[in-house]
């Protein structure tokens, strides 16, 4: 879905995202955040990252240096997570 969104196929990205969102609330938080970043929905991405932090998701640590997080770096909310 991330690649679909980055390539401009937002409809397909949203279809996949909808499937991910039907999973339990605690699962797939970071993959969902990545899709929202690619869709330029940074506030929603940060919401999911904050949930991942609350749940102590170890994947969050690997997410911070990733290039895919670049659109969020200027956000105080992102800085608060890091």
């Amino acid at each position: 879905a991330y690649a679909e969104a980055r390539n401009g196929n937002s409809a397909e990205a949203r279809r996949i995202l909808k499937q991910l969102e039907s999973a339990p609330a605690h699962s797939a938080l970071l993959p969902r955040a990545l899709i929202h970043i690619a869709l330029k929905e940074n506030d929603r991405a940060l919401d999911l990252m904050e949930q991942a932090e609350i749940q102590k998701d170890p994947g969050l640590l690997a997410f911070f240096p990733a290039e895919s997080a670049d659109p969020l770096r200027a956000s105080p909310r992102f800085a608060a997570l890091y």
Side-chain angles (χ1 to χ4, degrees):
Y2 176 78
E4 294 290 350
R6 294 279 306 207
N7 289 322
N9 190 353
S10 61
E12 179 63 10
R14 289 185 190 287
R15 185 189 69 75
I16 296 168
L17 183 60
K18 188 173 182 174
Q19 289 177 338
L20 288 172
E21 289 175 341
S22 68
H26 65 279
S27 66
L29 293 172
L30 295 177
R32 289 167 41 204
L34 279 172
I35 297 166
H36 283 290
I37 291 169
L39 291 168
K40 298 181 178 20
E41 298 170 351
N42 295 346
D43 285 335
R44 182 64 183 134
L46 287 163
D47 290 344
L48 293 166
M49 292 175 67
E50 289 167 348
Q51 289 178 32
E53 180 188 37
I54 290 167
Q55 294 177 11
K56 307 292 184 210
D57 186 329
L60 198 55
L61 294 174
F63 189 81
F64 290 118
E67 185 178 312
S68 54
D70 286 353
L72 305 178
R73 296 205 192 282
S75 169
R77 289 176 66 193
F78 183 80
L81 289 167
Y82 194 54

